[in-house]
Amino acid sequence: MCEGKPDRAAEQFREVRQRVGTGRSATLAQHLIQSFLPGEVTPEQAMMIGEELCHRLLGEQYQFVIATHIDHSHIHDHIVFNNTNMISGYTFETEHNQGKKSERAWAEIQKLSDDICRENGLSVIEHLKSKGVSHYEYEARKSGISWKEHLRQILKAIIVQSTSLDDFFSRCTEHNIEYVYKPENKVKLKYRPQGKERFVRADTLGEEYTPEAITESIMRMQNALAVAQRFTMHKADEASAITAEPKSANTAVITTDDFIVSGAENSITDPETDAPEKEEKADGWASIRGMRICDDIIADMESVGIHSLAEYNALSVTGWTKREELGKKLGKLKSQILAIDELIAKINYLKELSDTYKEYKGLTGFKQSRFRKKNAAAIDDYEQTNSYIWEHIEPYKQDDKAPTVKQLTDRSNDMKRRFNAMAQEYNHLLEVEAVMGKYSREIRKHITGQQNRRAVEQSRERRQGRNRRNSELE
């Protein structure tokens, strides 16, 4: 009910607001983004599904424009629709976004979108617990000034260092994070960093910051570390018994930096037993082969360089810390590059002003005063720029000699090459994190289920053994 050209569509939106609108709302239009799992849809299918969503949601009563974007790995629709009903004149808020939270537009849109995706055989997000974030918090995260995001990063670091939930709370106190933990309450845990007036609930920060998830993360890390230590000791004892035998292709490699274990996959998932050595290479994904979506998990994991569940577990412990450290290095390197480039720009600008300033310094008395009045901006710039250069060039001097522009440029280019290489690694780690986060809940649920079934089976075997012994005694 409007033209496809954005500028013309905007005019037609405006005409409807002026013709039938009540004029009581400052909101001009609504904007939503509908995203799809990478590789599941073509742009044409995404556009078709977006159109169907608009038809069902808006009932042919609101003008809308759809743009399907393919600039990310996930295809997504941007949908903008007029906030004014072109028939009744009421706003979208009035007709769709009032009452209880569960009755408002976001719930209706989510249900409609999920229904359409299921009808077309596409994935939907099941059991969505996230409550989303405000536009203010979203923009703050993007700009890097969100205090909640900062709190999340500190809590992640504390979780990695902790050995128990009590130890986690002690470390929170050391980092000036106040907490209230009442397991009997509906809101079990909340945090308040120093300088903030209000507490923030753990589940508001994210499911991984709840006491249950923290306890599980700590246990998983402790198990992984225990296995790594046991495996190292086992290999050391084994090495002393081996003379000149060549190492098999299945020999495990453990690095003390990150505890990445290759070839000991079963040990990571079952710390109670050491996997026997086999002539053939063990299946690194054996523990999740029974999962409904194991093929998708394995394909996505291996696409980012994770080739076994052991590597997945090790990266769960150390991966994000590597990315955080790399991010800090990138930030520091970027600041250094900007500083050098600013210095180069200042030196070049000084050269442009040097002729004017030399002429000014060559004059005296009234002529110099009159010349300065006519060229005040250039002379002031020269003096300020010169002062800036001598203030900031000190760290780059060699043998007490100021560097040339070429030397500074070479240094900047070298740092930019290092920055680009580090940025590629950083982006890869982000991609790894995204893939791991996508499946962490399913993997954790599957492994926990396996362990529970194993525990039940072991308990049943122990009970049967006791019964047999009692029968023999009788």
Side-chain angles (χ1 to χ4, degrees), residues 126 288-296 442 446:
E126 302 288 354
I288 64 168
R289 285 292 181 187
M291 292 182 66
R292 178 176 59 84
I293 56 172
C294 69
D295 290 339
D296 293 337
E442 288 85 354
H446 180 77

Side-chain angles (χ1 to χ4, degrees), residues 137-319:
E137 173 68 11
Y138 172 73
E139 291 297 332
R141 286 189 194 179
K142 282 175 63 179
S143 60
I145 60 173
S146 167
W147 69 268
K148 288 183 183 178
E149 187 61 27
H150 182 62
L151 176 60
R152 288 186 188 94
Q153 299 305 326
I154 296 176
L155 292 176
K156 281 183 181 179
I158 295 174
I159 291 170
V160 170
Q161 298 166 7
S162 302
T163 57
S164 66
L165 188 61
D166 288 338
D167 184 38
F168 169 78
F169 289 142
S170 298
R171 293 176 184 273
C172 283
T173 303
E174 291 174 5
H175 286 79
N176 298 315
I177 298 173
E178 189 178 350
Y179 66 90
V180 175
Y181 177 50
K182 294 184 179 179
E184 69 280 3
N185 288 4
K186 183 177 179 181
V187 179
K188 297 180 181 180
L189 178 61
K190 52 188 179 181
Y191 306 96
R192 181 171 69 181
Q194 189 176 33
K196 295 297 176 183
E197 294 183 4
R198 299 174 123 188
F199 283 88
V200 58
R201 287 166 34 176
D203 57 351
T204 300
L205 291 175
E207 187 182 350
E208 63 266 41
Y209 304 101
T210 60
E212 296 84 1
I214 292 170
T215 302
E216 187 176 342
S217 296
I218 292 173
M219 288 178 61
R220 188 172 69 249
M221 287 186 290
Q222 292 302 309
N223 286 340
L225 293 174
V227 169
Q229 291 168 357
R230 287 176 52 207
F231 198 80
T232 304
M233 294 171 61
H234 173 69
K235 282 298 174 184
D237 294 339
E238 195 178 72
S240 63
I242 296 175
T243 54
E245 294 181 11
K247 292 184 179 180
S248 68
N250 199 35
T251 301
V253 178
I254 300 176
T255 62
T256 55
D257 292 335
D258 52 20
F259 295 101
I260 294 179
V261 184
S262 302
E265 292 82 354
N266 293 330
S267 296
I268 287 291
T269 56
D270 186 6
E272 296 302 320
T273 58
D274 284 324
E277 292 187 4
K278 298 180 181 179
E279 292 182 3
E280 297 180 1
K281 188 175 181 180
D283 181 5
W285 300 108
S287 297
I288 64 168
R289 285 292 181 187
M291 292 182 66
R292 178 176 59 84
I293 56 172
C294 69
D295 290 339
D296 293 337
I297 293 174
I298 293 169
D300 284 357
M301 292 288 182
E302 293 189 343
S303 71
V304 295
I306 303 173
H307 298 288
S308 69
L309 196 62
E311 292 181 16
Y312 170 87
N313 285 332
L315 284 169
S316 296
V317 178
T318 61

Side-chain angles (χ1 to χ4, degrees), residues 428-439:
H428 174 68
L429 289 174
L430 284 178
E431 188 180 1
V432 169
E433 277 188 16
V435 172
M436 290 176 64
K438 179 179 175 182
Y439 297 114

Side-chain angles (χ1 to χ4, degrees), residues 18 125 128 200 204 280 306 318 343 390 426 433 437 468:
Q18 292 172 348
I125 300 174
L128 185 62
V200 58
T204 300
E280 297 180 1
I306 303 173
T318 61
L343 189 58
W390 288 109
Y426 180 84
E433 277 188 16
R468 281 196 299 270

